[in-house]
Amino acid sequence: SIDLAVHSVKDLPVEMAAGAVIGAMPKRGNPADALVSPAGYTLATLPERARVGTSSRRRAAQLRRFRPDLQPVDIRGNVDTRIKKAFAQDSLYDAIVLAYAGLERLGRLEVVSEIIPLDVMLPAPGQAALGVQCRDEAVWRELLHPINDPETETAIAAERGFLSGLGGGCSLPVAAYAVIRDGHLNLRGRVCSPDGSAQLDRYQAYPIETLNATSGWQIGVELAGVFTAQGAQQLMEAR
């Protein structure tokens, strides 16, 4: 009943529905996560055993990795709902973690107390990117072509290929970030144990001649193979 659908790519399954493709990805926003704290805390200055709201296993694992004393606490609702919960007088949270790009698009950057460094918290594959899904037909691909950013498309394909190679679930404690510079696709992947006690983290630069989703995806799958050989599956399943 519709022709096009706009998604946050990080929430889009790596397996497309039959007959559907991502027809365009506009230029990506800031991929970082942001800390929202009514008291203005940063991750480093949060009180001992502070409660941090997040429903993401990826974020929770990396929070525990950075500071094992922190207590990730589940939080639900859209962005505005989560902000209201954080700022409520009887709030359960000392801080919450949200995607910076989502806050920027909604004009809510005033609540950000820290943009979390990528070394501390690597984003979800596809974070800060929008994908326009369409039927796999030439007329729709041609219509969307002018708004597609090839560098974003290739980088995001690498991140999604990495996720797919590790099992494909957006709920996995898997993070990835790719960027293209000087003819190379620079891809960093990270897999954490749920409790943050162990982590695989690898950065690799790949020469890339053709900017397209196919070449990016293959690079991501290749890096996932390296992680699998190093025990990534066992790490993600650890208790």
Side-chain angles (χ1 to χ4, degrees):
S1 61
I2 63 171
D3 297 311
L4 308 170
V6 181
H7 302 275
S8 292
V9 177
K10 75 181 181 69
D11 300 322
L12 191 61
V14 292
E15 296 292 334
M16 286 285 105
V21 295
I22 299 177
M25 286 189 195
K27 189 172 179 62
R28 183 185 210 170
N30 186 329
D33 285 298
L35 192 73
V36 173
S37 167
Y41 290 121
T42 65
L43 283 183
T45 63
L46 278 166
E48 186 79 11
R49 296 185 60 78
R51 294 164 63 88
V52 182
T54 177
S55 56
S56 161
R57 293 180 69 199
R58 170 191 63 86
R59 288 171 177 155
Q62 291 183 95
L63 284 170
R64 292 185 177 111
R65 180 73 178 177
F66 181 69
R67 274 189 56 181
D69 66 291
L70 294 179
Q71 301 182 72
V73 180
D74 194 49
I75 186 169
R76 299 289 173 180
N78 62 29
V79 171
D80 282 328
T81 297
R82 295 186 191 203
I83 291 172
K84 286 176 184 175
K85 288 180 178 181
F87 281 80
Q89 268 196 326
D90 58 349
S91 178
L92 300 174
Y93 315 100
D94 297 292
I96 64 174
V97 181
L98 296 168
Y100 181 92
L103 292 166
E104 185 174 36
R105 291 185 183 119
L106 292 170
R108 297 302 311 270
L109 292 181
E110 82 282 355
V111 301
V112 174
S113 57
E114 180 186 23
I115 300 174
I116 303 174
L118 296 182
D119 281 345
V120 174
M121 188 171 289
L122 208 62
Q127 185 159 304
L130 297 176
V132 187
Q133 193 177 35
C134 65
R135 286 186 287 277
D136 190 6
E137 299 169 3
V139 62
W140 301 111
R141 293 194 299 270
E142 290 169 9
L143 177 72
L144 294 170
H145 178 74
I147 66 169
N148 188 60
D149 182 67
E151 289 198 1
T152 295
E153 178 186 41
T154 304
I156 298 299
E159 296 172 16
R160 285 167 60 80
F162 177 71
L163 178 61
S164 178
L166 290 170
C170 62
S171 65
L172 295 175
V174 172
Y177 178 55
V179 63
I180 294 168
R181 293 193 191 97
D182 303 323
H184 286 73
L185 189 149
N186 303 274
L187 176 61
R188 184 174 184 178
R190 181 178 290 170
V191 173
C192 303
S193 62
D195 66 0
S197 63
Q199 177 176 282
L200 296 175
D201 194 320
R202 185 181 179 93
Y203 166 85
Q204 200 151 324
Y206 300 83
I208 187 163
E209 297 178 1
T210 305
L211 293 177
N212 60 47
T214 300
S215 56
W217 186 277
Q218 291 169 345
I219 286 170
V221 171
E222 180 181 328
L223 186 62
V226 174
F227 274 69
T228 298
Q230 294 177 344
Q233 300 298 334
Q234 294 86 340
L235 192 63
M236 290 186 289
E237 295 165 4
R239 298 294 179 186

